[in-house]
Amino acid sequence: MDSKELCPICGEGHVQSHVEQVESEYKGQKAMVPMHYQVCDTCTSDYAGAEESRLNKRAVMAFRKTVDGLLTGAEILALRKQYRLTQDQAARLFGGGPVAFSKYENDDVAHSEAMDSLLRLVRGFEPAFWKLVDDKGLSDELKPSKSADHVATVGTSTTNVIVMANFRDSGFSPSNRTSVKYPAEAKKWK
């Protein structure tokens, strides 16, 4: 994108925005990462201003998250949209502070491995999300997007057997029942 901004170096020319793919290495892995910079049409100086530096930092952080096996900002945004959460609601539900999800989604910072595990759990297992909503006292504020007859119920018993069942319009469907037996020495879920 062209800019009418004067060059801060020579003060005579105008700068143009450029993006170049640059090889970046992190923990022995290499990838091409977009790097943003400005070039003066008079003195040909190139530099990265505040905006370009911010974009460059985000591109490098996204690459590092991928190498570290963490969800990317785009994946975190998709998860938040999946449950129709605001960034504030996501922060209150999952933790991380009042502006954490803005930073995670924009790849300004990397979230912890614990946060990543929690986000992956609720992304792949909707009942865990609704249990967390209930535990955090956000049930009145956050309503299920699906009708209640499609939400799995999770319970415990004294025999360490967890039963998950799906309920449909026709009621309980035994063919959808899944039981997982845990060893007797496993701690009971409370």
Side-chain angles (χ1 to χ4, degrees):
M1 178 176 166
D2 290 338
S3 173
K4 299 295 180 191
E5 184 180 335
L6 283 176
C7 175
I9 297 168
C10 71
E12 295 178 13
H14 293 91
V15 294
Q16 287 185 319
S17 296
H18 291 272
V19 179
E20 184 178 322
Q21 295 292 322
V22 176
E23 186 176 72
S24 185
E25 184 175 351
Y26 177 66
K27 293 185 177 178
Q29 300 223 7
K30 295 179 182 179
M32 299 304 285
V33 177
M35 290 291 127
H36 300 259
Y37 61 99
Q38 301 275 345
V39 176
C40 175
D41 60 7
T42 301
C43 71
T44 67
S45 295
D46 61 5
Y47 68 96
E51 177 65 15
E52 293 81 21
S53 294
R54 185 172 54 86
L55 293 171
N56 294 341
K57 178 184 174 219
R58 288 177 172 178
V60 169
M61 180 58 68
F63 166 59
R64 288 181 175 190
K65 282 181 173 181
T66 301
V67 171
D68 288 338
L70 299 175
L71 293 170
T72 65
E75 290 171 314
I76 293 172
L77 174 63
L79 175 122
R80 189 172 59 78
K81 296 296 183 184
Q82 173 185 345
Y83 291 111
R84 296 182 176 97
L85 297 171
T86 65
Q87 289 178 339
D88 176 65
Q89 289 169 329
R92 287 186 286 135
L93 185 63
F94 301 114
V99 294
F101 277 79
S102 173
K103 292 179 179 183
Y104 300 157
E105 292 170 12
N106 288 311
D107 291 318
D108 286 330
V109 298
H111 51 287
S112 69
E113 287 184 27
M115 176 66 78
D116 193 77
S117 294
L118 176 60
L119 295 175
R120 286 178 189 274
L121 174 66
V122 300
R123 180 175 73 170
F125 190 61
E126 189 172 347
F129 172 80
W130 295 112
K131 174 76 170 115
L132 186 61
V133 166
D134 187 50
D135 288 351
K136 293 287 188 162
L138 297 171
S139 297
D140 290 339
E141 185 177 343
L142 302 172
K143 305 289 183 205
S145 59
K146 293 182 178 181
S147 62
D149 60 40
H150 293 285
V151 176
T153 304
V154 178
T156 61
S157 73
T158 57
T159 60
N160 292 331
V161 175
I162 298 173
V163 178
M164 297 182 300
N166 288 323
F167 291 84
R168 304 276 184 228
D169 295 332
S170 60
F172 177 70
S173 174
S175 63
N176 291 333
R177 189 177 69 222
T178 305
S179 295
V180 181
K181 188 164 182 119
Y182 289 91
E185 62 273 1
K187 290 184 178 180
K188 294 180 183 176
W189 290 13
K190 302 213 185 241

